[in-house]
Amino acid sequence: MSRTTTPFDQLLAHLETDLGFESSHYNDAYLERRIAARMRRVDTDEYETYTERLRTDPEERKALLDSLSINVTGFFRNPAVWEELRTVLRTISENPGPTRVWSAPCADGREPYSLAMLALDDPEISSRKFEVLATDISEPALDIARAGVYSASRTRDIEGELSLLSEYEPYLEREENRFTVRDRVKEHVRFERHDLLRDEPKSGIDLALCRNLLIYIDTAYKATVVDTVLDSLSPDGYLAIGKTETVPRTCADRLSAVDNRLRIYRLE
Ligand SMILES: C[S@@+](CC[C@H](N)C(=O)[O-])C[C@H]1O[C@@H](n2cnc3c(N)ncnc32)[C@H](O)[C@@H]1O
């Protein structure tokens, strides 16, 4: 069946062919919610009118693409998961050679910086040989991540997010409500653009965090994302996905659970 049958489908086709956003890989309900929110902002309730607006208004194109790249994140998001990740990192740290961790997707960088800060903060994790590769599809998110400057606000309690550390001052410099990641943390993290649906797997990764992307991805493509991540792991590698996510059935055979509730797994 052709995808260009309804005005909504035409809008999605425009997104895919003209704006390079692979709308067919994302869940329709999610796309509808995001697009409806933008349409309310510009006072339109017709998909045709909104598609025309996208064709002629570069600002609106940018606003929609920004809103579609779902970049909600935080330092030490879901603290119970991070307590278990601490145990995993201590175990990996006993292996000879570097510890290679991949944060994919990394959004604005707070997840990979959390990994590096945890390694620096925990005496049982060897930070000297600790390397984080942090990737995302979104260049604007990567720009924020590389800068490593975060502002606290009414909805963003940065100090609270950092409470898993014994103290945060060695890792972030605070000036009023602005927190800047210190160089000693940054030097453990390398940022790079990577599309989990299209690009090649990495290799030799000991622990991959692929959290809070699968919820937005259409069921038909979830396995592509998870296979890319699993193909990147070293033979004893670990995987953590988001707390509300599930491993697609076709990938589950490759994994055994370290903690099912916390969604942490290990290659079989
Ligand atoms: C909700 S954030 C998750 C960030 C972090 N892992 C966390 O759990 O807090 C989702 C991120 O996925 C990125 N993203 C969307 N599609 C992607 C793709 N195909 N490949 C890589 N990253 C993608 C978005 O740009 C966004 O930064």
Side-chain angles (χ1 to χ4, degrees), residues 51-102:
T51 307
E52 197 44 42
R53 172 90 184 230
L54 288 174
R55 287 188 206 283
T56 53
D57 180 350
E59 287 294 312
E60 185 52 31
R61 280 203 292 276
K62 184 175 174 317
L64 177 63
L65 289 175
D66 279 354
S67 100
L68 287 172
S69 46
I70 28 133
N71 37 22
V72 178
T73 188
F75 288 112
F76 300 104
R77 187 175 185 182
N78 303 120
V81 173
W82 284 88
E83 283 305 344
E84 187 60 33
L85 290 177
R86 182 198 291 278
T87 308
V88 169
L89 289 173
R90 286 176 177 173
T91 307
I92 298 172
S93 187
E94 285 169 8
N95 298 339
T99 301
R100 301 188 64 216
V101 184
W102 187 19

Side-chain angles (χ1 to χ4, degrees), residues 26 69-70 72-73 77 105 107 111 136-137 195-196 211-212:
Y26 294 81
S69 46
I70 28 133
V72 178
T73 188
R77 187 175 185 182
E111 183 179 272
D136 202 280
I137 197 174
D195 180 344
L196 285 159
R211 303 168 69 215
N212 304 304

Side-chain angles (χ1 to χ4, degrees), residues 6-247:
T6 68
F8 180 66
D9 285 339
Q10 279 167 15
L11 198 165
L12 294 188
H14 172 63
L15 274 177
E16 185 128 6
T17 49
D18 302 323
L19 304 186
F21 179 84
E22 290 187 67
S23 52
S24 55
H25 289 148
Y26 294 81
N27 170 317
D28 273 2
Y30 160 74
L31 293 173
E32 259 172 46
R33 273 198 312 277
R34 286 294 166 134
I35 292 169
R38 278 309 315 163
M39 287 172 62
R40 275 196 302 277
R41 289 292 287 271
V42 297
D43 246 348
T44 305
D45 53 14
E46 303 269 333
Y47 288 123
E48 290 101 321
T49 318
Y50 188 63
T51 307
E52 197 44 42
R53 172 90 184 230
L54 288 174
R55 287 188 206 283
T56 53
D57 180 350
E59 287 294 312
E60 185 52 31
R61 280 203 292 276
K62 184 175 174 317
L64 177 63
L65 289 175
D66 279 354
S67 100
L68 287 172
S69 46
I70 28 133
N71 37 22
V72 178
T73 188
F75 288 112
F76 300 104
R77 187 175 185 182
N78 303 120
V81 173
W82 284 88
E83 283 305 344
E84 187 60 33
L85 290 177
R86 182 198 291 278
T87 308
V88 169
L89 289 173
R90 286 176 177 173
T91 307
I92 298 172
S93 187
E94 285 169 8
N95 298 339
T99 301
R100 301 188 64 216
V101 184
W102 187 19
S103 166
C106 67
D108 72 9
R110 280 180 282 166
E111 183 179 272
Y113 287 136
S114 300
L115 285 160
M117 290 191 288
L118 182 60
L120 288 161
D121 199 56
D122 188 307
E124 290 181 51
I125 303 171
S126 169
S127 59
R128 206 173 30 82
K129 54 176 197 165
F130 195 84
E131 300 167 8
V132 185
L133 170 64
T135 63
D136 202 280
I137 197 174
S138 160
E139 289 288 4
L142 290 168
D143 287 343
I144 297 172
R146 288 190 187 98
V149 181
Y150 305 94
S151 296
S153 66
R154 199 165 45 79
T155 50
R156 201 193 257 189
D157 170 19
I158 297 223
E159 206 157 36
E161 291 179 11
L162 296 167
S163 57
L164 197 118
L165 297 167
S166 53
E167 46 180 355
Y168 71 77
E169 289 87 349
Y171 316 115
L172 291 135
E173 186 187 344
R174 179 171 189 173
E175 291 162 292
E176 306 205 342
N177 275 345
R178 221 169 73 138
F179 295 72
T180 304
V181 178
R182 293 191 191 275
D183 287 348
R184 60 185 296 238
V185 178
K186 282 187 173 169
E187 69 194 19
H188 291 276
V189 185
R190 185 164 58 85
F191 292 99
E192 190 183 293
R193 186 182 179 278
H194 182 274
D195 180 344
L196 285 159
L197 286 162
R198 286 184 172 208
D199 291 336
E200 291 296 309
K202 302 290 174 185
S203 64
I205 302 292
D206 299 300
L207 163 66
L209 269 54
C210 183
R211 303 168 69 215
N212 304 304
L213 167 64
L214 294 173
I215 30 173
Y216 305 107
I217 297 282
D218 191 273
T219 314
Y221 298 98
K222 285 183 204 262
T224 309
V225 170
V226 175
D227 278 331
T228 299
V229 176
L230 295 184
D231 291 345
S232 307
L233 294 179
S234 62
D236 295 323
Y238 292 81
L239 165 74
I241 59 171
K243 261 194 85 178
T244 56
E245 296 173 324
T246 44
V247 174

